[in-house]
Amino acid sequence: MSVKTLLTNRTSLEGQVKVPGDKSISHRAVMFGSLADGITRIENFLPGEDCLSTISCFRQLGVEIIQNGSDVTVKGKGTDGLNKPEETLYVGNSGTTIRLMMGILSGLPFKSTLEGDESIARRPMTRVTLPLAKMGARIMGRNNGEFTPLTVEGQKLTGITYELPIASAQVKSAILLAGLQAEGETVVIEPVKTRDHTERMIKQFGGEVERNGDAVKVTGGQLLKGTEINVPGDISSAAFFLVAGAVVPGSDIILRNVGLNPTRTGIIDVLKAMGADFSIDAYEGESAEPAGDIRIKHSKLKGTIIEGDLIPRLIDEIPVIALLATQAEGKTVIKDAGELKVKETNRIDTVVNELKKLGVEIEATDDGMIIQGQQGLDGGTVSAHGDHRIGMMLSIAALLCKRDVVLEQSESIAVSYPGFFEDLYSLLGK
Ligand code: S3P
């Protein structure tokens, strides 16, 4: 476990950073590149541990993948060309890898086993195994298929129409990936729109996908062709600096190449509602995923309510939004976010407990949290609890603390942002 002494009591952040590639898009680029015929070249791939797990799983399935930092070349094999892995597929900490892989493996003609770290072992999988079973998949796991290790015995699949009981892009994507191999049509109906990177990528690889209101439809047996993917920066990583810029007095920073897909920009809506001082310079021209530069300055903020359809558009940003709310005038309420309990950690508990250790007044509710505004932060020893986003949120919180802050399990940050501290220190002029 690494223990890190964090920088505290800061007066300003200045300059600019180019945030690393989007995690969700990087995973999908490797997956679709492997399933497609021909070569896929990925630029600005995120070389974080989660995405490296996806690469290593597809290498085990016989795909040749050349990775050089953020440049990746995938020599696609088509679904027919993937081989039975000799050993268990290890997904590390990555929920996206395991859930999307289940959709892919369900239709392949061999048996394979998936496993991850102790966080993955606690995360619910029936949300994926249940709809896949309806398509004909055979998946066995601990506790009737709820937990890892999971063994997938590939079968011939049949398309289904499935109404998602929860808003989850991972579940939607697993079903669509299975649907691409199934006989007939597969329709997924979402209760609330979630990130649509899978749908955009099917089109980028020359496939067809149709959206009709809440429903997304694919037809099985489509030919996907290798392509070039330029991954935009991850707004979920930019979020830590957006908040730092908004709350650390005297700050004025620019975040370059931030992904601006509207299914991901809930944090921008929150910053606006809170009265933050920012501007967006969106890049012009056709591209599968919109992106742009965001400039943000320190300003006075006011509390807000975050709920309903907004939640899936900022689900991964809630830990750092909770910190943002501590600096606003008045109270902020986050509700309808029960999904936080089944993330890398129970993020309602980890956010509330760790911020309380720094002296923050914050209360957990059953589906979110209530945060009091205009708070001074103190200091202490906190832990990431193996959760990258908790580690980064606490590192930004430390900037506001008057006393020393020590972060335990800081190594977990490499899951999604290996260069996080370098980028943070550059904005701090260190
Ligand atoms: C992701 C979807 C979200 C998100 C996760 C990445 C994806 O999870 O929290 O970090 O890439 O599809 P859910 O779909 O489980 O909400």
Side-chain angles (χ1 to χ4, degrees), residues 23-24 28 96 99 127 167-170 195 315-316 343:
K23 182 156 79 71
S24 292
R28 286 161 172 82
T96 306
R99 294 201 176 113
R127 51 180 61 200
S168 165
Q170 290 180 352
R195 65 190 69 190
I315 187 74
D316 293 337
K343 293 295 174 191

Side-chain angles (χ1 to χ4, degrees), residues 107-127:
L108 297 180
F110 51 76
K111 191 165 163 179
S112 50
T113 300
L114 292 152
E115 199 170 14
D117 67 6
E118 71 268 10
S119 157
I120 282 291
R122 287 191 303 265
R123 298 186 69 181
M125 297 297 163
T126 314
R127 51 180 61 200

